[in-house]
Amino acid sequence: MSEPDPRAAADALAALDWTRAHRTEIQMRYGDIDGMGHLNNAVYVQYLETSRVLLMRDLGVRDEDDRSVLARLELDYRQEVRWGQRVAVETLVEGVGRSSWTVVSRLTADGQPCAFARTVQVRVNAAHRPEPLPEAWRRAFLPLSARPATGTEESLPG
């Protein structure tokens, strides 16, 4: 069994139509920078999380109604981010399942893609067991689809 090629995966994400993406401007803090003068690798994950929280809020999901957990994270670093650059995270919805959804994101600095990520979130109930996604969420995700809809398709591939 061969290992997946991370470069090919990042290239596939780079080829998506990012003009449809949800965009979150990130306020970089001096403490986000490591001793080498670039954005600490762990901080990328924090920026992605901030972007996902704001995405859900912008889709009309109240914080207290977003009972979801991160089930998977893939992160491909392509170019360093340095102090003082203007940072943003752009997010598209790649797929929707029964209780989970997958988002793909790219982190840009001064408009240049610096990292690509894929995360899988799972909606859970009070007992932390997966539960079906609300239909309203499914509808809200449609405009952010990473794959253009064809014909009368009503849902994202999952």
Side-chain angles (χ1 to χ4, degrees), residues 73-93:
L73 167 67
E74 300 170 29
L75 183 54
D76 295 302
Y77 303 94
R78 299 295 290 266
Q79 181 176 315
E80 70 179 357
V81 176
R82 301 200 60 83
W83 173 248
Q85 290 188 289
R86 188 178 180 107
V87 176
V89 176
E90 299 169 332
T91 303
L92 294 165
V93 177

Side-chain angles (χ1 to χ4, degrees), residues 44-55:
Y44 287 75
V45 177
Q46 294 172 355
Y47 288 3
L48 292 168
E49 179 181 47
T50 297
S51 175
R52 284 193 310 274
V53 168
L54 294 175
L55 165 68

Side-chain angles (χ1 to χ4, degrees), residues 113-130:
C114 295
F116 292 92
R118 176 177 284 113
T119 61
V120 177
Q121 291 71 224
V122 177
R123 181 171 168 85
V124 297
N125 60 22
H128 299 267
R129 301 297 308 158

Side-chain angles (χ1 to χ4, degrees), residues 3-146:
E3 288 292 316
D5 179 4
R7 184 76 178 177
D11 288 345
L13 294 181
L16 293 174
D17 178 7
W18 291 97
T19 61
R20 302 170 46 175
H22 177 271
R23 183 177 172 82
T24 302
E25 295 283 334
I26 301 291
Q27 175 63 53
M28 189 186 307
R29 301 165 300 179
Y30 182 74
D32 295 346
I33 304 302
D34 65 17
M36 295 182 66
H38 57 247
L39 189 65
N40 182 283
N41 65 304
V43 174
Y44 287 75
V45 177
Q46 294 172 355
Y47 288 3
L48 292 168
E49 179 181 47
T50 297
S51 175
R52 284 193 310 274
V53 168
L54 294 175
L55 165 68
M56 296 305 284
R57 188 177 294 167
D58 289 349
L59 292 178
V61 178
R62 299 179 317 167
D63 291 342
E64 58 271 17
D65 292 334
D66 186 8
R67 295 183 319 273
S68 59
V69 296
L70 185 65
R72 182 171 176 82
L73 167 67
E74 300 170 29
L75 183 54
D76 295 302
Y77 303 94
R78 299 295 290 266
Q79 181 176 315
E80 70 179 357
V81 176
R82 301 200 60 83
W83 173 248
Q85 290 188 289
R86 188 178 180 107
V87 176
V89 176
E90 299 169 332
T91 303
L92 294 165
V93 177
E94 185 177 48
V96 178
R98 185 186 79 77
S99 61
S100 67
W101 67 103
T102 303
V103 297
V104 291
S105 301
R106 75 174 182 177
L107 185 139
T108 64
D110 294 338
Q112 296 301 309
C114 295
F116 292 92
R118 176 177 284 113
T119 61
V120 177
Q121 291 71 224
V122 177
R123 181 171 168 85
V124 297
N125 60 22
H128 299 267
R129 301 297 308 158
E131 72 176 9
L133 295 175
E135 193 57 39
W137 290 24
R138 293 174 180 284
R139 286 190 304 273
F141 290 149
L142 281 173
L144 296 171
S145 174

